[in-house]
């Protein structure tokens, strides 16, 4: 983190949070250590498979929506990533304006890789939300909350009651957004992954929901 970036970070988050963030980054770099807050929310009972508002279409996305690699790069995606994750049965929902994807979110009910050779699994009441993104020029309008509401009824019909995600303890912006979104903490998850192998730990609350980190 550059000097000016550090000053700005301290102004926004304070010295203690800066020190925590700096320590976590060092531990990750040298020891492969990560610790996350596991946060969940009851699934909204939405039967809307697709809808349109303000000229933006909200629906499930397919491989054909990511045919332009230049657009994919602006969305922090690659076609190979999309193809791989759709092939393994994950679902991508998103917002489309004038034929172009402007935001998306991924879902899965299967164990998924969260780090190199590290996967997370979870109980049959949960589904995992990952890799959400909205183009900067479309942020601040509640777009992502609309994306998340697309067709969650299919998950309810399959016995899922809550959506969850893992946020590293130094990712204060995401933790704040999660709090504002009404998520609640169900536990904590931590692990070391390095040349000596994997060592993982989950709190009692996380274990209760079947959350576990393992090596593939």
């Amino acid at each position: 983190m550059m000097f000016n970036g550090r000053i700005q970070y301290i102004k926004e988050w304070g010295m203690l949070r800066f020190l925590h963030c700096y320590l976590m980054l060092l531990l990750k770099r040298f020891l492969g250590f990560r610790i996350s807050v596991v946060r969940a929310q009851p699934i909204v009972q939405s039967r809307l498979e697709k809808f349109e508002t303000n000229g933006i279409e909200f629906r499930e996305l397919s491989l054909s929506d990511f045919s332009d690699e230049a657009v994919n790069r602006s969305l922090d995606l690659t076609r190979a990533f999309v193809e791989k994750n759709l092939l393994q049965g994950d679902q991508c929902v998103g917002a489309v304006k004038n034929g172009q994807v402007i935001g998306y979110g991924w879902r899965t009910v299967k164990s998924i890789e969260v780090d190199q050779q590290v996967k997370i699994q979870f109980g049959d009441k949960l589904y995992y939300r990952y890799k959400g993104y909205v183009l900067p020029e479309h942020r601040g309008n509640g777009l992502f909350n609309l994306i998340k509401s697309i067709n969650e009824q299919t998950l309810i019909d399959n016995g899922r009651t809550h959506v969850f995600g893992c946020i590293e303890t130094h990712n204060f912006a995401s933790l704040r957004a999660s709090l504002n979104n009404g998520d609640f903490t169900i536990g904590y998850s931590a692990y070391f992954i390095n040349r000596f192998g994997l060592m993982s730990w989950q709190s009692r609350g996380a274990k209760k929901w079947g959350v576990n980190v393992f090596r593939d």
Side-chain angles (χ1 to χ4, degrees):
M1 190 182 294
M2 300 299 290
F3 179 77
N4 288 338
R6 293 178 184 179
I7 295 299
Q8 184 60 40
Y9 192 97
I10 292 170
K11 286 181 178 178
E12 182 172 2
W13 298 106
M15 179 59 75
L16 288 178
R17 286 180 174 177
F18 168 77
L19 292 174
H20 175 73
C21 180
Y22 192 67
L23 175 61
M24 291 299 103
L25 291 174
L26 287 176
L27 288 173
K28 180 179 179 180
R29 179 179 178 183
F30 293 107
L31 297 176
F33 175 75
R34 299 176 72 170
I35 180 167
S36 299
V37 184
V38 186
R39 311 215 73 195
Q41 185 181 73
I43 298 175
V44 177
Q45 192 164 350
S46 170
R47 294 184 179 275
L48 293 173
E49 294 185 8
K50 60 181 179 179
F51 58 94
E52 186 172 329
T53 181
N54 297 324
I56 301 174
E57 184 184 12
F58 296 84
R59 58 174 171 81
E60 186 170 348
L61 303 178
S62 65
L63 187 60
S64 63
D65 291 303
F66 299 97
S67 57
D68 189 326
E69 282 291 45
V71 173
N72 293 344
R73 285 192 292 273
S74 72
L75 292 166
D76 192 32
L77 279 174
T78 64
R79 184 177 172 86
F81 175 91
V82 175
E83 190 170 20
K84 173 189 172 184
N85 287 274
L86 289 178
L87 188 63
Q88 69 187 19
D90 293 358
Q91 182 187 43
C92 185
V93 291
V96 180
K97 184 174 184 179
N98 299 325
Q100 180 180 321
V101 176
I102 60 172
Y104 62 84
W106 286 85
R107 302 168 173 167
T108 187
V109 295
K110 302 176 181 178
S111 60
I112 185 171
E113 188 173 80
V114 292
D115 202 350
Q116 188 174 8
Q117 297 184 315
V118 177
K119 285 190 171 183
I120 188 168
Q121 62 187 18
F122 42 92
D124 58 9
K125 297 299 182 183
L126 298 174
Y127 85 82
Y128 186 67
R129 183 185 291 146
Y130 68 99
K131 199 169 177 63
Y133 187 86
V134 173
L135 288 175
E137 59 267 33
H138 293 283
R139 294 174 187 169
N141 300 312
L143 200 69
F144 194 61
N145 284 331
L146 291 174
I147 290 172
K148 291 187 295 186
S149 71
I150 301 170
N151 202 22
E152 286 192 308
Q153 184 62 39
T154 57
L155 297 156
I156 294 173
D157 291 343
N158 286 313
R160 308 288 163 166
T161 62
H162 289 73
V163 55
F164 88 105
C166 297
I167 305 173
E168 290 185 84
T169 58
H170 62 278
N171 189 344
F172 301 116
S174 292
L175 287 171
R176 175 190 285 173
S178 174
L179 181 65
N180 292 339
N181 192 45
D183 299 344
F184 63 94
T185 299
I186 63 174
Y188 294 84
S189 177
Y191 64 86
F192 288 93
I193 179 73
N194 49 47
R195 61 192 179 93
F196 299 108
L198 172 72
M199 180 183 298
S200 66
W201 169 87
Q202 281 74 45
S203 70
R204 182 180 300 177
K207 289 179 180 177
K208 181 180 177 180
W209 287 86
V211 176
N212 183 48
V213 172
F214 66 99
R215 190 168 189 173
D216 193 12

